[in-house]
Amino acid sequence: MSTGITTSKLPKNLLVHELDGDDSHVHLLLASKKKKFTQQQLDEISLDFAISLDEVIEEDKSVLVTASNFDQGSAPPNPAAILKRARTRHLKTYLLDKPMNTQECASCRSSSSPPFSVSDCKVVDHAFIDLEEATQDVSEIVCVDGLVCSSLRKALLDIISPGDEIARENRVDEKFWTKGAYNDVAGKSSGGYGLKPEMMEVLNKQDERGGAGAVTELGRRIQMYLEEVNDGEAVRLTKLPSAVFGPQVAPLGGNAPTHADSEGDSDAFGWHIDGDPNLTPPGAFRDCYGLYGNRLGGDKPRFISALVYLNEEWKPEWDGGTEFLDPPTSETYTTQVEPGRVVLLDSDITHRVTTPAESAGGNRPRYSLVLKLLLRKEKLKKGRKGGGDGDIVMLAKKTTGDKYIGSAASLNKDL
């Protein structure tokens, strides 16, 4: 495409990006903090002008991206309306903001949030985020008991490991799991058991049929918990869309480490993060939200993971918890496994699966289900632009007993 003007002639904070242009139409991406342009500014924009978003992403990481098309030679419509309409279409097309199905399960009916208790709340590290200026923030780990009752725990375990209840507590059923298939580090398979592809497909379709099964009930309870600890404000949970990291990163998964996994390999499971919006690859999600820090607030969704321990019985001395790392200090923290315990964490926290102790027996699996989610408040505060503490969904209420570990211990700030 020929260009009529250079990037230096573009109005400040306006970005233009080609989308499938052809001879009769020019598809544009427009990005603006102001969302308002003078007619003179619009007249200066050549409709056959297109630049790559990658060329300008370094100049403005808080890009608000939307799409539209014009007939060549026609007057462009109202820019603000274009931005709003096309952004909504972009979100819908790529399922970037689709609410998770949280329909109530008929077998788990409850008119209110199940009773719960926050057993432990840790702030594990802090991150330096390169936005308009260097900022610091802290990430959270919250252990919640009581959200998943015995019947829901069993129903979730039945999905990832059907069959004889006694047998599965003592040995992984290789009809559903396969050794060496669990992927917790990009490009590398661990020595642990992972769900077979057909079981992963079954698990990830649990929330897509409009039904009200165990996975949707789990999502409903997590949402009700988050709304309660955020003083009744409605929140939106979205299963991690494939448009973020690609279809190879599933929003739901399971793992089943055993003590035997550690034989001959003291590091059977590698350190990793589940996701970070500041590390998203080029694509639909980054086009829409840009690169940003995970707890920025506003309309920027927070990447969180929900881990649920599913065994009917698990003794403390059997270990097998999830270990979290603060890279600046190398300090670690390990959650204790409890049947039905939900661990909510920021997805950008470095962590790994740990193998059960020898006392658990060589083949006894520690089952867990993992959900990767995007989280934001349903309604942002009126008049708020961009992020802010008031629009950040908290994972637990602030208390004087909250503990900081690692480099976060040096920060004098609340959760």
Side-chain angles (χ1 to χ4, degrees), residues 159-213:
I159 296 172
I160 63 174
S161 192
D164 187 275
E165 296 178 36
I166 297 177
R168 72 184 176 196
E169 288 286 333
N170 293 283
R171 182 179 294 273
V172 177
D173 191 333
E174 295 189 350
K175 292 197 300 290
F176 312 115
W177 302 79
T178 184
K179 195 76 169 176
Y182 180 66
N183 291 313
D184 59 0
V185 179
K188 176 184 176 183
S189 295
S190 73
Y193 279 101
L195 286 169
K196 289 187 174 181
E198 58 268 30
M199 292 303 296
M200 283 289 290
E201 185 176 357
V202 168
L203 175 61
N204 280 277
K205 285 185 175 180
Q206 287 293 310
D207 186 48
E208 297 175 1
R209 299 172 183 155

Side-chain angles (χ1 to χ4, degrees), residues 329-393:
T329 64
S330 298
E331 187 173 342
T332 62
Y333 165 72
T334 304
T335 57
Q336 182 173 313
V337 179
E338 294 283 353
R341 169 168 284 181
V342 178
V343 182
L344 297 174
L345 60 131
D346 282 302
S347 297
D348 55 336
I349 297 175
T350 302
H351 62 283
R352 67 178 174 183
V353 174
T354 68
T355 54
E358 185 176 4
S359 58
N363 295 312
R364 182 187 298 276
R366 192 274 287 145
Y367 295 107
S368 65
L369 178 68
V370 181
L371 290 78
K372 299 176 183 178
L373 305 166
L374 305 183
L375 170 65
R376 69 166 178 81
K377 288 191 176 178
E378 189 68 59
K379 293 183 179 180
L380 304 180
K381 292 185 180 295
K382 187 176 181 180
R384 180 178 294 279
K385 296 180 180 180
D389 289 345
D391 284 328
I392 298 175
V393 183

Side-chain angles (χ1 to χ4, degrees), residues 144-282:
V144 187
D145 294 314
L147 278 184
V148 175
C149 60
S150 178
S151 60
L152 179 56
R153 179 200 56 74
K154 180 180 179 301
L156 292 169
L157 185 53
D158 283 342
I159 296 172
I160 63 174
S161 192
D164 187 275
E165 296 178 36
I166 297 177
R168 72 184 176 196
E169 288 286 333
N170 293 283
R171 182 179 294 273
V172 177
D173 191 333
E174 295 189 350
K175 292 197 300 290
F176 312 115
W177 302 79
T178 184
K179 195 76 169 176
Y182 180 66
N183 291 313
D184 59 0
V185 179
K188 176 184 176 183
S189 295
S190 73
Y193 279 101
L195 286 169
K196 289 187 174 181
E198 58 268 30
M199 292 303 296
M200 283 289 290
E201 185 176 357
V202 168
L203 175 61
N204 280 277
K205 285 185 175 180
Q206 287 293 310
D207 186 48
E208 297 175 1
R209 299 172 183 155
V215 172
T216 56
E217 177 64 19
L218 174 62
R220 185 182 79 91
R221 294 190 184 192
I222 291 174
Q223 180 172 351
M224 293 175 75
Y225 161 80
L226 290 168
E227 290 177 348
E228 184 163 334
V229 299
N230 283 276
D231 300 322
E233 291 194 60
V235 304
R236 176 172 294 216
L237 284 174
T238 298
K239 288 199 305 182
L240 184 73
S242 61
V244 180
F245 296 112
Q248 69 276 11
V249 180
L252 280 79
N255 59 52
T258 68
H259 178 70
D261 294 332
S262 64
E263 294 178 1
D265 184 1
S266 60
D267 189 24
F269 298 94
W271 292 109
H272 67 284
I273 63 172
D274 288 343
D276 185 344
N278 211 31
L279 298 175
T280 52

Side-chain angles (χ1 to χ4, degrees), residues 23 27 34 172 221 295 307 384 389:
D23 292 335
H27 298 246
K34 296 186 294 184
V172 177
R221 294 190 184 192
R295 290 153 294 279
L307 169 69
R384 180 178 294 279
D389 289 345

Side-chain angles (χ1 to χ4, degrees), residues 18-281:
E18 179 183 1
L19 279 183
D20 301 325
D22 57 38
D23 292 335
S24 59
H25 293 80
V26 177
H27 298 246
L28 302 175
L29 285 177
L30 303 177
S32 171
K33 291 178 180 176
K34 296 186 294 184
K35 301 185 188 178
K36 184 177 181 181
F37 311 103
T38 66
Q39 188 60 48
Q40 180 181 355
Q41 288 174 321
L42 289 171
D43 291 341
E44 291 176 354
I45 301 172
S46 171
L47 292 182
D48 65 350
F49 176 78
I51 59 175
S52 168
L53 184 61
D54 290 337
E55 294 176 19
V56 295
I57 197 70
E58 294 300 325
E59 300 174 16
D60 187 349
K61 290 190 177 181
S62 59
V63 178
L64 173 67
V65 181
T66 52
S68 185
N69 57 43
F70 305 99
D71 291 328
Q72 284 191 333
S74 65
N78 180 273
I82 296 172
L83 292 168
K84 183 177 181 180
R85 197 165 52 240
R87 188 174 192 271
T88 300
R89 184 168 61 248
H90 187 86
L91 290 169
K92 184 176 180 180
T93 299
Y94 295 101
L95 306 178
L96 299 180
D97 200 33
K98 179 184 178 182
M100 183 178 178
N101 182 8
T102 54
Q103 182 180 349
E104 184 180 26
C105 178
S107 61
C108 302
R109 293 198 180 279
S110 173
S111 59
S112 60
S113 176
F116 64 85
S117 62
V118 177
S119 303
D120 208 358
C121 185
K122 300 284 188 182
V123 183
V124 295
D125 66 355
H126 77 276
F128 289 93
I129 300 170
D130 183 18
L131 298 171
E132 293 182 358
E133 58 184 23
T135 59
Q136 300 178 88
D137 74 343
V138 293
S139 46
E140 297 174 65
I141 304 166
V142 182
C143 296
V144 187
D145 294 314
L147 278 184
V148 175
C149 60
S150 178
S151 60
L152 179 56
R153 179 200 56 74
K154 180 180 179 301
L156 292 169
L157 185 53
D158 283 342
I159 296 172
I160 63 174
S161 192
D164 187 275
E165 296 178 36
I166 297 177
R168 72 184 176 196
E169 288 286 333
N170 293 283
R171 182 179 294 273
V172 177
D173 191 333
E174 295 189 350
K175 292 197 300 290
F176 312 115
W177 302 79
T178 184
K179 195 76 169 176
Y182 180 66
N183 291 313
D184 59 0
V185 179
K188 176 184 176 183
S189 295
S190 73
Y193 279 101
L195 286 169
K196 289 187 174 181
E198 58 268 30
M199 292 303 296
M200 283 289 290
E201 185 176 357
V202 168
L203 175 61
N204 280 277
K205 285 185 175 180
Q206 287 293 310
D207 186 48
E208 297 175 1
R209 299 172 183 155
V215 172
T216 56
E217 177 64 19
L218 174 62
R220 185 182 79 91
R221 294 190 184 192
I222 291 174
Q223 180 172 351
M224 293 175 75
Y225 161 80
L226 290 168
E227 290 177 348
E228 184 163 334
V229 299
N230 283 276
D231 300 322
E233 291 194 60
V235 304
R236 176 172 294 216
L237 284 174
T238 298
K239 288 199 305 182
L240 184 73
S242 61
V244 180
F245 296 112
Q248 69 276 11
V249 180
L252 280 79
N255 59 52
T258 68
H259 178 70
D261 294 332
S262 64
E263 294 178 1
D265 184 1
S266 60
D267 189 24
F269 298 94
W271 292 109
H272 67 284
I273 63 172
D274 288 343
D276 185 344
N278 211 31
L279 298 175
T280 52

